[in-house]
Amino acid sequence: MDIQASVASVESSQGKPLDQVLQQIAEHKGCGTSSEGGKASCGSSTAPEDMDPAIWEKVKNHPCYSEEAHHHFARMHVAVAPACNIQCNYCNRKYDCANESRPGVVSEKLTPEQASRKVLAVASTIPQMTVLGIAGPGDPLANPEKTFKTFELVAQTAPDIKLCVSTNGLALPEHVERLSQFNIDHVTITINMVDPEVGQHIYPWIFWKNKRWKGIDAARILHEHQMRGLEMLTERGILCKVNSVMIPGINDKHLVEVNKAVKSRGAFLHNIMPLISAPEHGTVFGLNGQRGPTAQELKALQDSCEGEMNMMRHCRQCRADAVGLLGEDRSSEFSTEKVMEMDIQYDAEGRKAYQEKVEEERQATVLAKQAEMAGLEAEFSDLKVLIAVATKGHGRVNEHFGHAQEFQIYELSTQGSKFVGHRRVDLYCQGGYGEEDTLPTVIRAINDCVAVFVAKIGGCPKDSLKAAGIDPVDKYAHEFIEQSAVKYFKEYLAKVKSGEVVHEVRGDADIRQGAYIAA
Amino acid sequence: MAYKIISSQCTACSACEPECPNNAIREKDGTFIIKPEKCSECIGYFDEPQCVAVCPVDDTCVIDNSYPRYVAA
Ligand code: SF4
Ligand code: SF4
Ligand code: SF4
């Protein structure tokens, strides 16, 4: 299911933003081998100890870990695992597993043979595709034969593709050994509680040892398996990410405990996602009126866990068969029918060359931001503002306002820019022109931002945004996002100082509830 | 009697298929079915019918009254 799977936002275990680490690594390259002179320009000397270099190697190009990598590398998921062994109150099994997909989406189920063919077809067409995930539509480890068969087939032809799997954890302990035989890049476990008292309100039952367990017993068994599974992965050196669904009134405060428990057991990254809940999803929570968190509630919880460990904020809960960069979904180009007809040439060399080019492009974005930071560090101000950015990837402001299916949200301060999340708006513009009635939805989704960076925008939406107090900015079209953001913030600070702009605290924003249906 | 699957409710998730001790369940036309002559209601194997216990949709694997109750040999 990690269909849905930040560098700028992710903090390393010592609380250092990942992009700083990236910068340091970039700087290290520039440092050459000179000992004395090099050191001075290498910035903080803690960089290498910050993260095990082996872990960093695995993480830096990983679109599921790193927001920044998400701009340059693509992931795909194949839906080979329809069965599940537990029931979650936010899931309706007519649809995909809701642990990583948005509720209400249905993926095309594939056999392991069809799935491996699709992976090769995508990898040959999209050289940025570096990660294959199995995330459902049920639980991959409740379908071990299908999951492992798919991995085997892919590994035979395309050993460079990283494999990952997402699970609820119930069947994890019994499969860790077999998993470790594969080139598994990372495992995602969805952990919503570390206390069965809390868990019983989330999980009505589990199926374990030929028996349906209910209530607190079910939650206790699931909890024990999740913790043991996580420990076993850590012992074997397999990276583990934890997903949690934030359910206001049930586990929202408790997730701070979850964060501590998973960190102490070696989880590398913690991703807190909002509950998406609406009656039409037909889930227990949808039907009993359980609400999801607001954007502010979600950010406050993510902020309070940050510093404790790496937080991930870019999970977009996309579909189990999604293909592509960022919010883009090219899965319709790779339907089973089309894939079966394609003539597939797996070009390992070509893929490698392409990925090296992307690496250069990435270094350039980091260096550009760093250069722009000069002058800002000396400013004293505790002003913090949010901006929304329309992008198609590559770290640039390169999407038209009306075409954006989601906006990336950055927090700007004298510390620079930091990715803090994204907001889906789906299509505001359907046919090349704006639709009046959907504009308010977009504005509500980014209502907490002072500005929106776009490659292009029409006159009408421009006026509505201004009326709502959001500055529509198109002067950074096709430039680097973070560099432009820092530039903008410097100007903003200057305007506030001169009195040209009065800084006001913005309101809260909506988290869109609908299924991600864009093709 | 045997168990049957109400096909209009079945999500075709396949969870029941590998759990059946008698290999009575298979996929047919996009949904799953139970071969009544093979189903032993899990008697002699488990305390509860496995298809019922694992199925995510309540009241989808149910007793088929058109069949005589299974009697253990
Ligand atoms: S783990 Fe939960 S959310 Fe995922 S398929 Fe199973 S019941 Fe649904
Ligand atoms: S009741 Fe038991 S034997 Fe009958 S179909 Fe279900 S799992 Fe198989
Ligand atoms: S477990 Fe239930 S929903 Fe899934 S295939 Fe069997 S009968 Fe259908």
Side-chain angles (χ1 to χ4, degrees), chain A residues 211-228:
Chain A
K211 191 170 142 45
R212 183 180 280 210
W213 304 75
K214 295 182 182 163
I216 200 148
D217 289 335
R220 185 181 41 79
I221 297 168
L222 179 62
H223 163 64
E224 287 168 5
H225 286 218
Q226 291 176 332
M227 295 300 125
R228 194 158 9 110

PDB file of all heavy atoms in Angstrom, chain A residues 211-228:
ATOM      1  N   LYS A 211      -8.243 -18.320  14.398  1.00  0.00           N
ATOM      2  CA  LYS A 211      -9.283 -17.849  15.288  1.00  0.00           C
ATOM      3  C   LYS A 211      -9.466 -16.348  15.098  1.00  0.00           C
ATOM      4  O   LYS A 211      -8.515 -15.637  14.801  1.00  0.00           O
ATOM      5  CB  LYS A 211      -8.820 -18.126  16.726  1.00  0.00           C
ATOM      6  CG  LYS A 211      -9.855 -17.953  17.798  1.00  0.00           C
ATOM      7  CD  LYS A 211      -9.271 -18.528  19.107  1.00  0.00           C
ATOM      8  CE  LYS A 211      -9.625 -17.749  20.336  1.00  0.00           C
ATOM      9  NZ  LYS A 211     -10.883 -17.270  20.626  1.00  0.00           N
ATOM     10  N   ARG A 212     -10.716 -15.910  15.231  1.00  0.00           N
ATOM     11  CA  ARG A 212     -10.967 -14.471  15.208  1.00  0.00           C
ATOM     12  C   ARG A 212     -10.900 -13.955  16.637  1.00  0.00           C
ATOM     13  O   ARG A 212     -11.672 -14.373  17.494  1.00  0.00           O
ATOM     14  CB  ARG A 212     -12.325 -14.168  14.598  1.00  0.00           C
ATOM     15  CG  ARG A 212     -12.578 -12.672  14.485  1.00  0.00           C
ATOM     16  CD  ARG A 212     -13.923 -12.347  13.869  1.00  0.00           C
ATOM     17  NE  ARG A 212     -13.919 -12.457  12.407  1.00  0.00           N
ATOM     18  CZ  ARG A 212     -14.703 -11.718  11.616  1.00  0.00           C
ATOM     19  NH1 ARG A 212     -15.519 -10.824  12.128  1.00  0.00           N
ATOM     20  NH2 ARG A 212     -14.676 -11.890  10.311  1.00  0.00           N
ATOM     21  N   TRP A 213      -9.960 -13.064  16.910  1.00  0.00           N
ATOM     22  CA  TRP A 213      -9.796 -12.465  18.222  1.00  0.00           C
ATOM     23  C   TRP A 213     -10.433 -11.078  18.203  1.00  0.00           C
ATOM     24  O   TRP A 213     -10.336 -10.377  17.208  1.00  0.00           O
ATOM     25  CB  TRP A 213      -8.324 -12.314  18.600  1.00  0.00           C
ATOM     26  CG  TRP A 213      -7.547 -13.597  18.547  1.00  0.00           C
ATOM     27  CD1 TRP A 213      -7.134 -14.238  17.411  1.00  0.00           C
ATOM     28  CD2 TRP A 213      -7.101 -14.390  19.641  1.00  0.00           C
ATOM     29  NE1 TRP A 213      -6.443 -15.391  17.738  1.00  0.00           N
ATOM     30  CE2 TRP A 213      -6.407 -15.502  19.109  1.00  0.00           C
ATOM     31  CE3 TRP A 213      -7.198 -14.272  21.037  1.00  0.00           C
ATOM     32  CZ2 TRP A 213      -5.838 -16.484  19.908  1.00  0.00           C
ATOM     33  CZ3 TRP A 213      -6.629 -15.241  21.827  1.00  0.00           C
ATOM     34  CH2 TRP A 213      -5.956 -16.340  21.275  1.00  0.00           C
ATOM     35  N   LYS A 214     -11.105 -10.733  19.333  1.00  0.00           N
ATOM     36  CA  LYS A 214     -11.779  -9.433  19.361  1.00  0.00           C
ATOM     37  C   LYS A 214     -11.305  -8.588  20.521  1.00  0.00           C
ATOM     38  O   LYS A 214     -10.627  -9.076  21.420  1.00  0.00           O
ATOM     39  CB  LYS A 214     -13.291  -9.648  19.488  1.00  0.00           C
ATOM     40  CG  LYS A 214     -13.880 -10.351  18.281  1.00  0.00           C
ATOM     41  CD  LYS A 214     -15.382 -10.513  18.420  1.00  0.00           C
ATOM     42  CE  LYS A 214     -15.902 -11.259  17.200  1.00  0.00           C
ATOM     43  NZ  LYS A 214     -17.226 -11.804  17.400  1.00  0.00           N
ATOM     44  N   GLY A 215     -11.719  -7.334  20.509  1.00  0.00           N
ATOM     45  CA  GLY A 215     -11.520  -6.410  21.628  1.00  0.00           C
ATOM     46  C   GLY A 215     -10.080  -6.291  22.056  1.00  0.00           C
ATOM     47  O   GLY A 215      -9.158  -6.249  21.235  1.00  0.00           O
ATOM     48  N   ILE A 216      -9.878  -6.258  23.361  1.00  0.00           N
ATOM     49  CA  ILE A 216      -8.566  -5.953  23.909  1.00  0.00           C
ATOM     50  C   ILE A 216      -7.560  -7.064  23.613  1.00  0.00           C
ATOM     51  O   ILE A 216      -6.367  -6.800  23.429  1.00  0.00           O
ATOM     52  CB  ILE A 216      -8.674  -5.615  25.412  1.00  0.00           C
ATOM     53  CG1 ILE A 216      -7.443  -4.842  25.879  1.00  0.00           C
ATOM     54  CG2 ILE A 216      -8.940  -6.846  26.248  1.00  0.00           C
ATOM     55  CD1 ILE A 216      -7.752  -3.856  26.971  1.00  0.00           C
ATOM     56  N   ASP A 217      -8.046  -8.328  23.523  1.00  0.00           N
ATOM     57  CA  ASP A 217      -7.136  -9.433  23.192  1.00  0.00           C
ATOM     58  C   ASP A 217      -6.542  -9.227  21.805  1.00  0.00           C
ATOM     59  O   ASP A 217      -5.346  -9.444  21.585  1.00  0.00           O
ATOM     60  CB  ASP A 217      -7.879 -10.777  23.200  1.00  0.00           C
ATOM     61  CG  ASP A 217      -8.260 -11.195  24.608  1.00  0.00           C
ATOM     62  OD1 ASP A 217      -7.594 -10.752  25.557  1.00  0.00           O
ATOM     63  OD2 ASP A 217      -9.234 -11.964  24.752  1.00  0.00           O
ATOM     64  N   ALA A 218      -7.406  -8.831  20.884  1.00  0.00           N
ATOM     65  CA  ALA A 218      -6.951  -8.618  19.507  1.00  0.00           C
ATOM     66  C   ALA A 218      -5.892  -7.519  19.482  1.00  0.00           C
ATOM     67  O   ALA A 218      -4.826  -7.675  18.877  1.00  0.00           O
ATOM     68  CB  ALA A 218      -8.133  -8.224  18.620  1.00  0.00           C
ATOM     69  N   ALA A 219      -6.162  -6.424  20.158  1.00  0.00           N
ATOM     70  CA  ALA A 219      -5.244  -5.285  20.161  1.00  0.00           C
ATOM     71  C   ALA A 219      -3.928  -5.668  20.836  1.00  0.00           C
ATOM     72  O   ALA A 219      -2.850  -5.244  20.408  1.00  0.00           O
ATOM     73  CB  ALA A 219      -5.883  -4.090  20.857  1.00  0.00           C
ATOM     74  N   ARG A 220      -3.995  -6.493  21.890  1.00  0.00           N
ATOM     75  CA  ARG A 220      -2.774  -6.885  22.589  1.00  0.00           C
ATOM     76  C   ARG A 220      -1.885  -7.751  21.699  1.00  0.00           C
ATOM     77  O   ARG A 220      -0.674  -7.530  21.593  1.00  0.00           O
ATOM     78  CB  ARG A 220      -3.143  -7.652  23.878  1.00  0.00           C
ATOM     79  CG  ARG A 220      -1.951  -8.002  24.765  1.00  0.00           C
ATOM     80  CD  ARG A 220      -2.368  -8.777  26.026  1.00  0.00           C
ATOM     81  NE  ARG A 220      -3.400  -9.777  25.758  1.00  0.00           N
ATOM     82  CZ  ARG A 220      -3.172 -10.974  25.223  1.00  0.00           C
ATOM     83  NH1 ARG A 220      -1.948 -11.346  24.927  1.00  0.00           N
ATOM     84  NH2 ARG A 220      -4.169 -11.814  24.987  1.00  0.00           N
ATOM     85  N   ILE A 221      -2.496  -8.740  21.024  1.00  0.00           N
ATOM     86  CA  ILE A 221      -1.709  -9.610  20.145  1.00  0.00           C
ATOM     87  C   ILE A 221      -1.075  -8.789  19.020  1.00  0.00           C
ATOM     88  O   ILE A 221       0.107  -8.907  18.723  1.00  0.00           O
ATOM     89  CB  ILE A 221      -2.592 -10.734  19.548  1.00  0.00           C
ATOM     90  CG1 ILE A 221      -3.118 -11.633  20.671  1.00  0.00           C
ATOM     91  CG2 ILE A 221      -1.825 -11.554  18.515  1.00  0.00           C
ATOM     92  CD1 ILE A 221      -4.210 -12.593  20.239  1.00  0.00           C
ATOM     93  N   LEU A 222      -1.892  -7.931  18.418  1.00  0.00           N
ATOM     94  CA  LEU A 222      -1.375  -7.110  17.321  1.00  0.00           C
ATOM     95  C   LEU A 222      -0.208  -6.247  17.805  1.00  0.00           C
ATOM     96  O   LEU A 222       0.850  -6.188  17.161  1.00  0.00           O
ATOM     97  CB  LEU A 222      -2.495  -6.218  16.753  1.00  0.00           C
ATOM     98  CG  LEU A 222      -2.086  -5.298  15.607  1.00  0.00           C
ATOM     99  CD1 LEU A 222      -1.599  -6.097  14.395  1.00  0.00           C
ATOM    100  CD2 LEU A 222      -3.252  -4.387  15.179  1.00  0.00           C
ATOM    101  N   HIS A 223      -0.381  -5.624  18.951  1.00  0.00           N
ATOM    102  CA  HIS A 223       0.672  -4.771  19.513  1.00  0.00           C
ATOM    103  C   HIS A 223       1.966  -5.562  19.736  1.00  0.00           C
ATOM    104  O   HIS A 223       3.055  -5.128  19.342  1.00  0.00           O
ATOM    105  CB  HIS A 223       0.181  -4.161  20.826  1.00  0.00           C
ATOM    106  CG  HIS A 223       1.274  -3.597  21.684  1.00  0.00           C
ATOM    107  ND1 HIS A 223       2.050  -2.536  21.274  1.00  0.00           N
ATOM    108  CD2 HIS A 223       1.740  -3.960  22.908  1.00  0.00           C
ATOM    109  CE1 HIS A 223       2.940  -2.273  22.213  1.00  0.00           C
ATOM    110  NE2 HIS A 223       2.779  -3.127  23.211  1.00  0.00           N
ATOM    111  N   GLU A 224       1.837  -6.760  20.331  1.00  0.00           N
ATOM    112  CA  GLU A 224       3.038  -7.559  20.599  1.00  0.00           C
ATOM    113  C   GLU A 224       3.762  -7.927  19.307  1.00  0.00           C
ATOM    114  O   GLU A 224       4.991  -7.882  19.229  1.00  0.00           O
ATOM    115  CB  GLU A 224       2.666  -8.833  21.383  1.00  0.00           C
ATOM    116  CG  GLU A 224       2.315  -8.523  22.825  1.00  0.00           C
ATOM    117  CD  GLU A 224       1.665  -9.711  23.546  1.00  0.00           C
ATOM    118  OE1 GLU A 224       1.572 -10.815  22.951  1.00  0.00           O
ATOM    119  OE2 GLU A 224       1.234  -9.508  24.700  1.00  0.00           O
ATOM    120  N   HIS A 225       2.971  -8.292  18.289  1.00  0.00           N
ATOM    121  CA  HIS A 225       3.591  -8.667  17.019  1.00  0.00           C
ATOM    122  C   HIS A 225       4.271  -7.476  16.358  1.00  0.00           C
ATOM    123  O   HIS A 225       5.334  -7.613  15.761  1.00  0.00           O
ATOM    124  CB  HIS A 225       2.543  -9.265  16.081  1.00  0.00           C
ATOM    125  CG  HIS A 225       2.139 -10.645  16.486  1.00  0.00           C
ATOM    126  ND1 HIS A 225       1.887 -11.638  15.580  1.00  0.00           N
ATOM    127  CD2 HIS A 225       1.954 -11.209  17.705  1.00  0.00           C
ATOM    128  CE1 HIS A 225       1.558 -12.745  16.226  1.00  0.00           C
ATOM    129  NE2 HIS A 225       1.591 -12.506  17.518  1.00  0.00           N
ATOM    130  N   GLN A 226       3.633  -6.311  16.434  1.00  0.00           N
ATOM    131  CA  GLN A 226       4.218  -5.118  15.818  1.00  0.00           C
ATOM    132  C   GLN A 226       5.562  -4.797  16.460  1.00  0.00           C
ATOM    133  O   GLN A 226       6.553  -4.531  15.771  1.00  0.00           O
ATOM    134  CB  GLN A 226       3.264  -3.923  15.956  1.00  0.00           C
ATOM    135  CG  GLN A 226       2.010  -4.071  15.098  1.00  0.00           C
ATOM    136  CD  GLN A 226       1.007  -2.947  15.301  1.00  0.00           C
ATOM    137  OE1 GLN A 226       0.940  -2.344  16.373  1.00  0.00           O
ATOM    138  NE2 GLN A 226       0.206  -2.672  14.288  1.00  0.00           N
ATOM    139  N   MET A 227       5.610  -4.844  17.809  1.00  0.00           N
ATOM    140  CA  MET A 227       6.856  -4.508  18.501  1.00  0.00           C
ATOM    141  C   MET A 227       7.935  -5.546  18.212  1.00  0.00           C
ATOM    142  O   MET A 227       9.088  -5.214  17.953  1.00  0.00           O
ATOM    143  CB  MET A 227       6.618  -4.397  20.017  1.00  0.00           C
ATOM    144  CG  MET A 227       5.694  -3.266  20.412  1.00  0.00           C
ATOM    145  SD  MET A 227       6.331  -1.644  19.910  1.00  0.00           S
ATOM    146  CE  MET A 227       4.978  -1.015  18.961  1.00  0.00           C
ATOM    147  N   ARG A 228       7.546  -6.835  18.233  1.00  0.00           N
ATOM    148  CA  ARG A 228       8.532  -7.871  17.984  1.00  0.00           C
ATOM    149  C   ARG A 228       9.048  -7.782  16.550  1.00  0.00           C
ATOM    150  O   ARG A 228      10.247  -7.896  16.296  1.00  0.00           O
ATOM    151  CB  ARG A 228       7.941  -9.259  18.270  1.00  0.00           C
ATOM    152  CG  ARG A 228       9.007 -10.314  18.348  1.00  0.00           C
ATOM    153  CD  ARG A 228       8.614 -11.561  19.130  1.00  0.00           C
ATOM    154  NE  ARG A 228       7.220 -11.657  19.510  1.00  0.00           N
ATOM    155  CZ  ARG A 228       6.353 -12.532  18.982  1.00  0.00           C
ATOM    156  NH1 ARG A 228       6.741 -13.363  18.036  1.00  0.00           N
ATOM    157  NH2 ARG A 228       5.120 -12.577  19.418  1.00  0.00           N
TER     158      ARG A 228
END
